[in-house]
Amino acid sequence: MAETPMPAAFVGHGSPMNALERNRYTSAWARLGAELPKPRAILVVSAHWYIHATAVTAMPRPRTIHDFFGFPQELFDLQYPAPGAPELAAEIAEIVKPTWVGADIDSWGIDHGTWSVLTHMFPAADVPVVQLSVNAMKPLEYHLELGAKLAPLRERGVFVLGSGNVVHNLAGIDPNLPDDGFDWARRFDDAARELVLGDPGRLPALAESPDWAAAVPTDDHFLPLAYLAGLGAAAGGGTDVLVDGYQYGSLSMTAYTLGITPPPAPDGPPGPRVATDPAPQDQNI
């Protein structure tokens, strides 16, 4: 058992081009990785493994998945060769019973919601990585409760990371606002911050926000936040903002930590320019 619980985090991952860039967001991720005790393993809940089941990757050597379109070859060439952890997959399935979690031994791997962040946090790729799917068939409350059930992993040296975006409306992107957010995006992000910092167990109340439909037109990128909120509720709070900001009007880059005082947010350039061909909603970011 770990002497103190391993911290946990949620990151607004934005464009996969962040994997190649050093900007204020990726610098914050790198600083967090440097501050963390080295984990026994990493469990990532990525918006980009959004399927009709709850499953964990259980292969010893997960492949690097390039699940996007319209980006430079350099990004497709990037590999994140971290080992898997089949024993952790079995441990997760046991911890969350009676919730059923399947073992994926050959279909998925490490998608860009995971490796675009970990390539900054843990650039050596020497910590085993397991992904937990986002079950598209389940309501927000299910994901919050499942996050809370994962709390024992923190006592066992596992770093739990949610990767998505609190506000994620690709159809609403405005390339003329590279480092700004629409009023509705700011309102929703602020409302989410109030709950995540103050009462994370009440995260489902955000569904009543008049800005929900614009901020969360699909819930794939929002639901990873529920896992950190569940862990925060189980721990009785203790969340902090790692870094915040907006891109192209309709994306929030806010990131949160649990159980660690985040290093000061670094200065630096905003995130990468958005490509417009194909349209952002067709790029799978």
Side-chain angles (χ1 to χ4, degrees):
M1 296 287 184
E3 291 185 5
T4 57
M6 178 65 63
F10 168 85
V11 165
H13 65 241
S15 167
M17 286 298 293
N18 280 313
L20 301 177
E21 297 207 1
R22 292 290 289 190
N23 53 54
R24 62 185 304 265
Y25 306 116
T26 64
S27 294
W29 308 344
R31 286 192 186 187
L32 176 60
E35 293 281 336
L36 288 170
K38 187 169 183 178
R40 165 193 154 206
I42 304 166
L43 172 62
V44 184
V45 183
S46 166
H48 292 280
W49 196 22
Y50 184 70
I51 59 174
H52 288 185
T54 303
V56 290
T57 54
M59 63 284 292
R61 285 286 168 188
R63 64 193 176 102
T64 302
I65 301 172
H66 300 88
D67 50 330
F68 41 71
F69 310 95
F71 290 94
Q73 186 61 42
E74 183 182 6
L75 193 60
F76 289 93
D77 291 341
L78 195 152
Q79 296 291 314
Y80 192 78
E87 71 287 351
L88 176 58
E91 196 175 327
I92 291 166
E94 186 65 29
I95 283 173
V96 304
K97 284 181 176 178
T99 302
W100 181 86
V101 178
D104 172 21
I105 61 171
D106 57 9
S107 70
W108 202 240
I110 301 176
D111 63 51
H112 82 265
T114 296
W115 57 256
S116 67
V117 176
L118 294 187
T119 196
H120 295 284
M121 281 191 183
F122 301 98
D126 58 349
V127 180
V129 176
V130 167
Q131 284 200 205
L132 174 67
S133 71
V134 177
N135 190 330
M137 304 297 290
K138 299 295 186 179
L140 176 53
E141 290 80 3
Y142 167 91
H143 298 280
L144 184 72
E145 292 168 7
L146 185 54
K149 287 182 177 181
L150 296 173
L153 294 178
R154 297 183 60 210
E155 305 284 347
R156 303 177 188 182
V158 177
F159 176 55
V160 181
L161 173 67
S163 179
N165 292 95
V166 177
V167 177
H168 186 264
N169 186 331
L170 296 184
I173 277 179
D174 184 346
N176 297 312
L177 297 172
D179 199 29
D180 201 359
F182 297 125
D183 288 346
W184 56 262
R186 290 177 173 273
R187 285 195 305 267
F188 187 84
D189 201 49
D190 287 346
R193 181 190 312 233
E194 182 177 355
L195 288 177
V196 173
L197 298 187
D199 193 358
R202 292 189 60 244
L203 190 72
L206 280 174
E208 304 302 319
S209 166
D211 298 308
W212 173 271
V216 189
T218 60
D219 62 6
D220 47 354
H221 277 68
F222 182 82
L223 288 176
L225 177 63
Y227 290 82
L228 183 71
L231 289 170
T239 55
D240 288 289
V241 174
L242 172 65
V243 66
D244 57 9
Y246 302 90
Q247 290 193 290
Y248 307 107
S250 62
L251 292 177
S252 161
M253 295 297 292
T254 304
Y256 296 97
T257 61
L258 172 66
I260 188 172
T261 301
D267 293 326
R273 295 289 301 178
V274 66
T276 56
D277 184 19
Q281 59 266 38
D282 297 326
Q283 296 172 25
N284 195 35
I285 65 172

